[in-house]
Amino acid sequence: MPKLARQKSHARQLNYRRSIESIKSNDTETFSSEDEKILFHPGGDIDDINFSNGSVLNDISDILTFCKEQINPRFISVLLYMSLRHLGHTWRDVDSFLTSIGGTTIKTCHKWTNILVNKDFDEFTIDERVRSVESCRLDLRRFSVKFTANSSRPYFLGHEREDVVKHRQEFVKYFIEREQHFYTITNDAVPQWRIPTTVPTILLCHDESTYKCGEITAKRWIMPDNAPFYNKGRGRSIMCSDVLVMHTSGPFFSLTEKEYSEALKTYPN
């Protein structure tokens, strides 16, 4: 067998000696700067890293923040907590470290460590994350939703979309094709009922009006090409609701001569 290079041979001896010593003793052991150069910088093409520098905590915190967006942050914090405690660090040091990088509190880490070690792995892996308000806002913006003024919009906004036009045509066609089945009213000066000539179908028309106090927010989230109902207020409201029956047994709306004359004065056209 060919002889090993001097650096590789020295590194192997160091690893062997450390493995034997780690079995005999539980004391924490650190690498010397010379050993680190041999193990991590064999070619001399990697810069030295001062892990005791405070700026390294910022880098660790950035990595943790990135990982939080990918998986439950509890998993990462518990992994760090268990690893550091396994290496012999006190809970005070671990607590200080987790706090400095924005990790989960040490009490929470210990609680979930107990579940992982002494109870059920499936219970530990249950993801109970609740999305923050800020994250939900970012999601809304990804869907082109805008936080804009909560003002009254034209009722016809979005009515010319392709899917809306198609549905409206199908809706109107359905009633036109079945016109002979409905009770309708003539458009004369004195309206009269039209009786269906085939098997009758009675239409029920529901209508309602809601009167609110007017306590509204200045802005709201609005989807593009959509016309949401105008938010009239969050306080108490009064709703008037009724059902009109298109049948001779029910009255239809009409004005008396006096009411009609007064209406013409207000709306001459």
Side-chain angles (χ1 to χ4, degrees), residues 34-76:
E34 181 181 354
D35 296 338
E36 184 176 340
K37 288 182 179 179
I38 295 175
L39 292 175
F40 302 138
H41 310 280
D45 56 347
I46 300 178
D47 297 334
D48 292 332
I49 301 175
N50 183 7
F51 288 98
S52 61
N53 194 318
S55 62
V56 174
L57 284 178
N58 295 331
D59 298 325
I60 298 174
S61 179
D62 291 341
I63 296 176
L64 181 61
T65 301
F66 174 78
C67 293
K68 285 180 179 179
E69 298 177 355
Q70 311 301 319
I71 62 173
N72 194 318
R74 182 182 73 232
F75 302 153
I76 309 168

Side-chain angles (χ1 to χ4, degrees), residues 11 34 42 67 74 92 125 135 141 143 162-163 192 213 268:
E34 181 181 354
C67 293
R74 182 182 73 232
R92 292 183 183 276
T125 55
S135 298
R141 294 189 182 279
F143 289 110
E162 182 178 353
D163 59 325
Q192 301 293 327
C213 62

Side-chain angles (χ1 to χ4, degrees), residues 33 35-36 41 45 47 50 62 79 96 115 129-130 138 155 176 181 183 188 190 193 197 214 233 254 257:
S33 58
D35 296 338
E36 184 176 340
H41 310 280
D45 56 347
D47 297 334
N50 183 7
D62 291 341
L79 173 62
S96 176
I115 294 175
R129 284 188 295 177
V130 178
L138 291 177
Y155 75 94
I176 291 177
H181 294 267
Y183 288 88
D188 302 330
V190 181
W193 282 105
T197 57
S254 62
E257 290 294 335

Side-chain angles (χ1 to χ4, degrees), residues 15 25 30 36 49 51 60 64 86-87 93 106-107 111 113 117-118 132 142 169 178 186 196 205-206 227 260 262 265:
N15 290 334
S25 174
T30 58
E36 184 176 340
I49 301 175
F51 288 98
I60 298 174
L64 181 61
H86 175 72
L87 294 174
D93 292 338
I106 195 170
K107 289 184 178 180
K111 181 190 75 172
T113 300
V117 175
N118 299 322
S132 64
R142 291 189 182 100
Q169 291 174 346
R178 293 163 176 79
T186 62
C205 306
H206 175 250
Y260 184 71
E262 292 178 353
K265 294 178 182 178

